[in-house]
Amino acid sequence: MIHARDVLDGFSVSFWLPIGALTVALVIKLPSLVKMWRDPMLRAVGGLLLFACAVFVFASPAVIGWTNRVTGVPNIAAPLVYSLLTALCASWLLLIVAWRNGLSDRSASTRRAARWVVFAYAGVVVALWVLFWLADVPVERRQDLDTYYANTPFMREEILLYLLAHTVACSITARLIWNWVRTDGLDAWLRWGLRFLGVGYATNLLFDAAKLTAVIARLTGNDLDWLSTYLAPSAACLSATMVATGFIIPHGGQYLHERWRIRLAHRRLRPLYLLLRTVNGGGAPFAPRATGELRLIRRETYIRDVLLQLSRHLDEELRERSYDAAVELGFEPGRAKALAAAVTILDAVAARERDAPGDGAGPDTTYLLQEIQAVSRALRHRDHIEAVRSRAAAPGRENARA
């Protein structure tokens, strides 16, 4: 009886890295695949990742042996792996077809190109199985089948056919991806993802070169089997890992960047938040399991609510004098506005603590409500605020605008 442990123990460590990376990429893409399955590009990406995982699982020596034993047919794992690899090649080209003219393209030429890819590579798969049944391959070979049977009729043609189909697909994909890397206007994360994809597909050509060189060497009476047995699998593992990374980077990078942006925005509001907590003694509602977005929204809402309460105490003339003072001190206009607002808010908080009632409905607080991030950052530099405050309070400054 064959146990799962026996199969897993036979995995080469090198196979785990691409399988793990491809699985992570597939899991990341899965929500989009479920929601937008009708999108041909997403279907191509899903098929690519799925077939890539299947190739490495079924190409491992342990699973090759298991497949041969279960079916009772020596080396039947060979056409199975070749077929999965050919399907993977088709998914590469379908992805290229879907990307070629953008997501909105549903033209007849695009559909025709996709059909050509499907029919051509489906034909290759059928030919692989026909050639296998015509070949005589009684001796099981788990790692060196390509070179061991390189001179065997029909098996020789099968090996060359799958390598040719793989080389053609890989060459086209690598070339077009490197062309896209140089396209203007790409998101930085997408550009890095394309670079990894380009390197991955270029490395796949090393797999083809190693395999073809070893097979041709056998056909000419030489022995370079180590290229096929050792170098080619290593190149394939590296290639698959790079391709998976290329799919992970745009999504993972954008997600982490957005998490960091929200966390940083929440942290930058802390000085203004702590200052305004002294006004009413409370704070934003705290929820341990709240998302970063919710915590940021609550902090922003709290700050704006308290600023509206302070509006009667805001001194517009003080803000204008502070802005002029900040500009005179050499601060650029945006920074000067933030420093002037910080001085005005500090004065309003002090006025409220003194129970000074304030006059009328208060000045327009639009700038304060919209630029709370800039004002909060200004509060981190109390030396700048004090310099602006002192200059704004200098004798004669009150009448400077009159």
Side-chain angles (χ1 to χ4, degrees):
M1 181 177 178
I2 298 173
H3 297 282
R5 184 185 64 185
D6 297 327
V7 175
L8 293 176
D9 287 344
F11 268 98
S12 170
V13 174
S14 62
F15 280 93
W16 281 110
L17 182 59
I19 291 173
L22 290 165
T23 302
V24 169
L26 184 58
V27 169
I28 290 175
K29 283 285 189 180
L30 194 58
S32 299
L33 290 169
V34 172
K35 292 179 182 178
M36 297 181 286
W37 176 248
R38 300 175 71 89
D39 189 315
M41 189 179 77
L42 283 174
R43 287 203 303 267
V45 171
L48 186 156
L49 295 172
L50 186 62
F51 283 124
C53 285
V55 166
F56 280 94
V57 170
F58 284 94
S60 66
V63 176
I64 287 175
W66 176 82
T67 304
N68 294 335
R69 287 194 298 273
V70 167
T71 60
V73 180
N75 297 311
I76 198 172
L80 175 60
V81 173
Y82 297 162
S83 297
L84 291 171
L85 189 57
T86 301
L88 175 61
C89 293
S91 68
W92 294 345
L93 294 176
L94 288 174
L95 184 60
I96 295 299
V97 171
W99 271 353
R100 184 179 58 180
N101 294 322
L103 295 177
S104 61
D105 181 65
R106 298 292 186 274
S107 65
S109 62
T110 297
R111 293 194 299 269
R112 186 165 54 252
R115 285 197 297 269
W116 270 106
V117 170
V118 172
F119 290 151
Y121 277 80
V124 171
V125 171
V126 171
L128 290 172
W129 283 97
V130 170
L131 289 168
F132 176 77
W133 290 116
L134 293 174
D136 183 19
V137 286
V139 180
E140 183 186 62
R141 310 300 298 184
R142 298 188 183 185
Q143 293 180 281
D144 62 347
L145 182 142
D146 290 348
T147 50
Y148 187 86
Y149 287 111
N151 284 307
T152 301
F154 299 113
M155 198 64 193
R156 171 183 58 228
E157 287 75 14
E158 175 167 0
I159 293 167
L160 292 174
L161 178 60
Y162 98 82
L163 287 175
L164 177 62
H166 186 267
T167 303
V168 169
C170 189
S171 300
I172 294 173
T173 308
R175 179 181 176 183
L176 291 180
I177 284 178
W178 280 113
N179 288 339
W180 287 332
V181 169
R182 295 189 289 269
T183 302
D184 294 331
L186 289 180
D187 174 78
W189 292 109
L190 177 58
R191 191 182 300 277
W192 273 107
L194 287 173
R195 285 172 178 162
F196 274 90
L197 286 175
V199 172
Y201 287 115
T203 307
N204 242 330
L205 292 174
L206 177 60
F207 167 86
D208 294 318
K211 284 282 186 181
L212 284 169
T213 301
V215 170
I216 292 172
R218 276 283 186 156
L219 292 173
T220 56
N222 298 297
D223 185 353
L224 292 175
D225 291 6
W226 65 272
L227 290 173
S228 176
T229 306
Y230 301 109
L231 179 59
S234 298
C237 289
L238 177 60
S239 172
T241 304
M242 299 296 281
V243 168
T245 304
F247 282 111
I248 292 171
I249 282 179
H251 294 272
Q254 289 170 2
Y255 174 81
L256 293 176
H257 177 75
E258 183 64 16
R259 296 300 96 193
W260 173 251
R261 186 192 65 79
I262 292 172
R263 193 177 188 87
L264 187 61
H266 186 269
R267 180 175 176 271
R268 284 176 173 172
L269 286 175
R270 181 176 173 79
L272 182 56
Y273 172 71
L274 293 178
L275 173 64
L276 296 181
R277 283 186 63 179
T278 63
V279 173
N280 61 6
F286 176 73
R289 296 186 178 182
T291 63
E293 293 94 333
L294 182 57
R295 288 197 296 269
L296 176 61
I297 290 171
R298 285 177 173 175
R299 178 164 287 189
E300 290 175 340
T301 302
Y302 175 84
I303 289 173
R304 291 189 174 100
D305 288 345
V306 179
L307 284 175
L308 288 174
Q309 295 175 27
L310 283 175
S311 61
R312 288 179 174 273
H313 303 277
L314 295 173
D315 187 341
E316 183 63 16
E317 291 184 0
L318 173 61
R319 190 171 73 86
E320 293 174 351
R321 295 197 310 271
S322 298
Y323 174 78
D324 292 339
V327 171
E328 292 170 5
L329 289 171
F331 295 102
E332 54 89 19
R335 177 70 170 163
K337 287 180 69 175
L339 287 168
V343 170
T344 307
I345 291 173
L346 287 168
D347 178 78
V349 171
R352 180 183 172 89
E353 291 175 352
R354 295 193 302 269
D355 292 327
D359 299 323
D364 183 13
T365 59
T366 302
Y367 170 77
L368 295 179
L369 297 177
Q370 292 178 345
E371 301 298 329
I372 56 177
Q373 285 280 349
V375 175
S376 186
R377 288 196 298 271
L379 286 170
R380 291 181 178 274
H381 302 277
R382 290 305 179 100
D383 54 334
H384 294 170
I385 291 175
E386 291 304 320
V388 171
R389 190 204 300 271
S390 298
R391 193 174 186 88
R397 175 67 68 174
E398 290 81 357
N399 299 321
R401 285 179 170 263

